[in-house]
Amino acid sequence: MAQTLLALEPAALAEWVTSHGGQAFHAKIIRKEVLERGVLDYGEMTSLPADLRAALKADLPILSSTEATRTVARDKAIKVLLSFPARGGTVEMVHIPPPDKDDTRGATLCISTQVGCPVGCPFCASGLGGLERNLSADEILEQFVIGRSVGPIRRAVVMGMGEPLLNMEALNKALDAVHDEMGLGSRKITVSTVGFPDRLHKAARQKPRFELAISLHTADDVQRDALVPAMKGTSIESILAAGDDWFEQTGREITYEIALLGGENDTPWHAERLAERLNGRRCMVNLIPWNPSPGMSFNRPEAGTPEAFRDDLIARGLVATVRWSRGLDGDAACGQLRQRVARS
C-alpha cells in the first residue's frame, strides 16, 4: 500500500523530508499548506525547494482517495463520492455553503467515519449494504482537507456514513489534527450517533473535541427497536441517562435528532411522548424531514407537519428546529449519492 502524506505523523513526515534533501521545518510548511489552506498540489507550495517538491510529487501522494463522482445541487451543496483504491470502499462527504451568498464565514462540511454502516436503519440508504470497514484516521482527516480545498469551513458535522462511536479511536485522532492544525474548534464540530450508552459514558470522560447529537428518531421503545435495529433492546431511558451524564461531564447540551417519517413518527402523540421524555433536560431537538431514496417505502411528512411538530414541542417547553436537507435535487441529501452509484 502506497504511503500518503496524511498517514504520516508530523515527526515521521519530518524524517521523510530530511531523507529526501529537505529541512525538518519544511514538514511544518507542508502540513500547514495542506491542513490550513487545503492545498492538494505540491506544485503550489512555492516556499519549498523545487527538488523537494518534485520528490514529494513522485513518492508521497497527499491523499489515499480518488474522487469518483461530484454532484452540485442548485443550492450549491457539493457532494463528493470518494473511492479508496488501496483499501477498498467508497464514502460520501458534502460541502454545504451558507444559504446567504454574501455570508463569507465558510461552509458546513459533512463527513463519514465508516464504509457502509452497521446500524441498519431501514430509512437510511447509506447502510443498506451493511458495514464494510472502518475508515482510518487519515481517511477521515482527508475528507476535511478535501472540503477545505473547496473553500473555507465554518463548522463540520460527522453525520455522513457510519456510526462514529464504533470508530472513535480513529475519529478522535483525526479531530486532534482538525482542531490543532486546521483551527476548527470543538464547538464547531458535531458528532451524530445512535447513542450506544457505554460508549457515550466513555467518550464523555475523554475530553471530547466535539458537540454531541443523538439520533433518537422516536420516543417509543418498540418503534425505536424497528427504526434502529442495532440498538434493539437498548432502552431509550438508558440512552437519555447517558446523555445526562455527557452533559454533567462536559457541560455541553445535546441535540436530539428525529428523522421525521410521514405517518410513522410525526404525529401529535409522538411529539407529546418526546416532550415527556425530554422534559427537564438541557437539550434541543432537531427535526429532519426524511429524504427519499430509491427502493425505500417511507414517505416525507405532509406539508406543515414538521412545523406543527416543532411548535408542539416548543409549546411544551423544548427548544426545537426543523432542518430541511440541502442539495436534494443534486443527490446530495443523506445517503443518496452512494446508493445511486451502488445501484448503477
Side-chain angles (χ1 to χ4, degrees):
M1 185 184 300
Q3 193 173 49
T4 64
L5 169 69
L6 292 179
L8 292 179
E9 299 288 343
L13 176 60
E15 183 178 341
W16 191 99
V17 167
T18 55
S19 70
H20 287 74
Q23 302 295 320
F25 73 87
H26 289 142
K28 295 181 179 180
I29 293 175
I30 295 166
R31 286 187 68 91
K32 185 180 179 69
E33 289 283 307
V34 173
L35 293 169
E36 282 192 28
R37 295 183 55 210
V39 175
L40 298 180
D41 183 352
Y42 289 121
E44 296 179 22
M45 301 181 190
T46 53
S47 58
L48 299 177
D51 288 349
L52 178 59
R53 294 201 305 270
L56 287 163
K57 184 175 182 179
D59 297 328
L60 191 66
I62 295 173
L63 306 175
S64 64
S65 65
T66 59
E67 185 175 311
T69 61
R70 177 180 292 213
T71 58
V72 183
R74 283 194 295 268
D75 61 13
K76 306 304 181 184
I78 300 172
K79 179 169 276 191
V80 179
L81 182 73
L82 299 176
S83 174
F84 298 97
R87 297 170 182 162
T90 58
V91 301
E92 57 190 12
M93 54 171 288
V94 190
H95 183 279
I96 308 168
D100 182 354
K101 66 180 180 180
D102 296 323
D103 189 340
T104 59
R105 291 176 296 171
T108 295
L109 188 68
C110 178
I111 67 104
S112 300
T113 55
Q114 295 178 308
V115 178
C117 182
V119 178
C121 299
F123 54 86
C124 179
S126 295
L128 288 180
L131 176 67
E132 295 182 33
R133 66 176 181 88
N134 285 333
L135 293 181
S136 61
D138 59 291
E139 290 172 328
I140 296 171
L141 179 59
E142 68 182 61
Q143 293 174 70
F144 285 92
V145 169
I146 293 168
R148 181 62 186 87
S149 73
V150 176
I153 300 170
R154 174 178 58 179
R155 60 187 299 264
V157 291
V158 186
M159 297 182 182
M161 294 173 56
E163 166 49 56
L165 291 191
L166 298 182
N167 193 19
M168 277 304 298
E169 184 176 351
L171 177 60
N172 282 335
K173 185 176 180 181
L175 292 184
D176 283 343
V178 170
H179 182 280
D180 297 340
E181 298 182 77
M182 296 186 74
L184 204 59
S186 301
R187 294 188 180 273
K188 298 295 185 181
I189 301 171
T190 299
V191 170
S192 178
T193 172
V194 294
F196 295 91
D198 57 335
R199 293 175 182 267
L200 282 176
H201 288 299
K202 182 179 179 180
R205 287 158 176 77
Q206 294 178 331
K207 296 183 179 179
R209 287 182 152 176
F210 54 84
E211 300 289 298
L212 181 68
I214 296 179
S215 296
L216 201 60
H217 300 318
T218 180
D220 179 72
D221 281 293
V222 174
Q223 186 176 46
R224 193 170 199 270
D225 281 350
L227 293 179
V228 191
M231 299 292 286
K232 188 173 183 178
T234 302
S235 71
I236 291 173
E237 279 305 317
S238 69
I239 297 170
L240 297 180
D244 295 342
D245 181 54
W246 170 276
F247 178 71
E248 291 175 6
Q249 296 296 325
T250 68
R252 301 177 190 175
E253 294 184 6
I254 293 174
T255 297
Y256 288 100
E257 299 170 320
I258 308 290
L260 287 178
L261 309 167
E264 299 283 343
N265 65 349
D266 64 345
T267 71
W269 181 88
H270 287 91
E272 179 181 359
R273 185 72 177 115
L274 181 62
E276 290 173 353
R277 292 274 200 181
L278 298 181
N279 182 42
R281 289 184 157 100
R282 291 279 297 275
C283 64
M284 70 169 292
V285 179
N286 198 1
L287 305 170
I288 308 168
W290 181 71
N291 298 309
S293 192
M296 309 193 96
S297 58
F298 293 95
N299 298 303
R300 296 201 105 185
E302 293 184 0
T305 297
E307 291 76 15
F309 197 111
R310 175 201 61 200
D311 294 345
D312 198 351
L313 295 180
I314 292 173
R316 295 174 186 275
L318 295 178
V319 177
T321 61
V322 176
R323 178 167 66 83
W324 294 94
S325 294
R326 301 273 301 277
L328 187 63
D329 65 284
D331 286 328
C334 251
Q336 289 182 319
L337 178 69
R338 185 175 186 266
Q339 177 67 2
R340 178 174 60 83
V341 170
R343 290 167 59 93
S344 63

